[in-house]
Amino acid sequence: MGLNVHPQLLQALRTVLDTGSLTAASERLGFTQSALSKQIAALEAAAGTPLLRRGPRGVVPTAAGNRLAARAAAVLDQLDAAQRELDDLSAPLDGRLTLGGFPATAMELAPRTIARVRADHPSIAIDFLESSTPVQIRRLRAGRLDLAIIASGEGLPDYDLTGIEAEPLPAGPMLVAVGHRHRLARAGRVSVADLAEESWIAGRGGRAEPQFGAWPTVRNARVVAELGDWSARIGFVAAGIGITTVPSLGAGILPATVACVEVDDPDGLRRTLSLARIGALTPAGAAVRSALIIEARAVAERSRETG
């Protein structure tokens, strides 16, 4: 007889490992920490072995916890894919798809693409899932995504794209966001040396989720805050607490209290934006692809004007 547990218990374990703490996991899942602890205890009882142990920086998985978490990810993805297939029985297969994108794409590119498709093709329904590039790749393979906007290049892992077709999309340069009263706010373009003494606001995410930090060629950069939400990072920048690295994907919607500058750095970040898929495009997928290319080009052009 195999391990017979509710999927929620597997989700609890995955979330604890992703966030690194019971507190952060309970906040993400919407449970009290006590309720989450009971779920983990129930899973450990069913497994017959400890899955987590407390460390100096939060909870860490045991060998059994790591193995079960890996299996749990596959099980949860398959359950989601099965639910999606059942949902699709009541809708035309060529009229509904799921698009994935990493958090920065949700700032401007993904919503503009969805709005364009809705205006041009009202019969196409698009579901959007926001997640990091490695999670999107896993979801593509599991059948949870039809299309995924992924990032690759310097500072990112060398993702395994075997069996995945990745088509490059137009993309603008990486930028630095500063408060509107900052000394560099009207510079337009700066050198790496101009950034040497600055304080930085960095991103913070779950384990294995790439985040933007200080400009990568600035040595001994001083990071004064690590924040998981883009709006929080921009709020700190607007208040003059520090500056932050931003992708061109979000430059066009920054508030008036924040300015963007380009960095003259031949050794700087080189990132590629791609549309990934497995298999042939459906008619709905082809329509989304066309809209995405148009909006990606427009976002890249606006970012250059902003910078």
Side-chain angles (χ1 to χ4, degrees):
M1 186 173 180
L3 184 66
N4 185 14
V5 297
H6 193 281
Q8 178 56 54
L9 302 187
L10 299 178
Q11 184 63 60
L13 177 64
R14 287 291 311 172
T15 305
V16 171
L17 266 60
D18 286 344
T19 61
S21 75
L22 289 171
T23 300
S26 63
E27 291 176 355
R28 179 178 292 186
L29 292 171
F31 297 124
T32 64
Q33 187 170 337
S34 174
L36 181 60
S37 295
K38 290 179 181 178
Q39 292 180 16
I40 296 298
L43 184 59
E44 289 180 325
T49 184
L51 302 175
L52 300 172
R53 64 174 182 272
R54 294 192 175 276
R57 297 184 179 180
V59 292
V60 294
T62 62
N66 269 326
R67 289 200 175 189
L68 182 56
R71 293 290 186 181
V75 169
L76 293 170
D77 280 343
Q78 289 299 322
L79 287 174
D80 284 340
Q83 183 61 60
R84 184 166 163 243
E85 289 177 1
L86 293 175
D87 292 341
D88 283 347
L89 291 176
S90 60
L93 292 178
D94 63 351
R96 186 181 194 90
L97 61 77
T98 303
L99 172 69
F102 53 92
T105 66
M107 299 170 75
E108 186 174 15
L109 178 57
R112 287 182 177 274
T113 296
I114 294 171
R116 175 177 286 274
V117 173
R118 285 183 175 178
D120 295 343
H121 307 281
S123 63
I124 296 178
I126 303 175
D127 297 320
F128 180 72
L129 290 180
E130 176 193 300
S131 59
S132 64
T133 290
V135 172
Q136 289 191 82
I137 293 172
R138 190 181 76 216
R139 287 175 171 172
L140 269 176
R141 298 191 193 282
R144 289 192 61 196
L145 295 178
D146 297 292
L147 299 170
I149 310 169
I150 64 174
S152 59
E154 294 182 8
L156 295 176
D158 186 15
Y159 302 119
D160 178 12
L161 298 180
T162 304
I164 295 176
E165 182 173 344
E167 174 186 5
L169 292 171
M174 296 298 299
L175 304 167
V176 169
V178 303
H180 72 293
R181 291 191 178 92
H182 193 277
R183 63 185 181 86
L184 301 176
R186 294 174 179 79
R189 191 175 185 87
V190 301
S191 68
V192 176
D194 292 325
L195 306 174
E197 303 301 322
E198 295 295 331
S199 299
W200 292 86
I201 311 299
R204 182 184 65 202
R207 292 175 181 174
E209 293 186 0
Q211 295 291 325
F212 292 102
W215 193 264
T217 55
V218 173
R219 295 186 177 182
N220 302 316
R222 183 162 62 99
V223 175
V224 296
E226 292 185 355
L227 304 169
D229 185 75
W230 270 112
S231 60
R233 285 177 242 174
I234 297 305
F236 270 57
V237 170
I241 297 172
I243 66 177
T244 193
T245 306
V246 296
S248 58
L249 290 170
I253 61 168
L254 293 179
T257 51
V258 173
C260 280
V261 295
E262 288 193 49
V263 182
D264 187 7
D265 183 5
D267 299 319
L269 282 174
R270 293 178 178 84
R271 297 277 176 89
T272 299
L273 189 67
S274 300
L275 178 62
R277 71 176 190 272
I278 295 177
L281 283 170
T282 64
V288 173
R289 171 187 174 276
S290 296
L292 187 56
I293 291 173
I294 292 172
E295 292 301 333
R297 185 176 295 114
V299 169
E301 291 174 354
R302 281 194 297 272
S303 72
R304 290 188 177 92
E305 293 173 0
T306 302

